[in-house]
Amino acid sequence: MVLMEYMGIKYLYTGDYKLQPDKTCEPVEFVEADVLITETTFADPQTQHPVAEAEILKLNSTQSNIMLGAYALGKCQRLISLMNEYCTEKGYLFTIVCCLS
């Protein structure tokens, strides 16, 4: 997060953040601001995501090869962390492809 003050007005830019605990990133720190500029993929508060741990556990029961897509930064680290914690009996081949445009 970036907090700036200009002419007595505090502007907070958050980038992407989440409220759920995650070992791969620091927890969000709440800061008071007059103007909030935030980034969101799912702005609808009705959006419900499945529990990540429950979804990762499903990998243990599959016998097929699986390709999982993730952003190179952030999501990729979380995915690998979850797989290392909940799918310890499986073997994995990780290939990370970065596309810069």
Side-chain angles (χ1 to χ4, degrees):
M1 291 188 193
V2 176
L3 179 64
M4 303 179 310
E5 187 170 344
Y6 179 72
M7 298 181 69
I9 299 174
K10 291 182 181 179
Y11 297 86
L12 178 65
Y13 171 74
T14 66
D16 201 3
Y17 65 91
K18 66 170 136 187
L19 302 175
Q20 301 85 0
D22 187 338
K23 293 189 302 185
T24 64
C25 61
E26 296 177 8
V28 67
E29 181 180 327
F30 293 98
V31 179
E32 272 193 48
D34 300 304
V35 177
L36 175 65
I37 303 166
T38 190
E39 177 182 329
T40 181
T41 304
F42 301 97
D44 183 355
Q46 300 301 315
T47 301
Q48 296 291 317
H49 296 284
V51 176
E53 294 80 2
E55 293 298 305
I56 291 296
L57 284 170
K58 292 177 183 178
L59 297 176
N60 289 320
S61 63
T62 186
Q63 301 301 314
S64 303
N65 292 327
I66 300 172
M67 180 169 51
L68 302 171
Y71 307 114
L73 296 175
K75 301 289 186 219
C76 186
Q77 286 88 345
R78 183 163 189 236
L79 181 58
I80 292 170
S81 174
L82 287 167
M83 290 170 70
N84 283 335
E85 184 172 352
Y86 294 100
C87 301
T88 57
E89 300 300 314
K90 291 282 193 177
Y92 300 100
L93 171 63
F94 294 104
T95 302
I96 299 174
V97 177
C98 296
C99 297
L100 304 174
S101 54

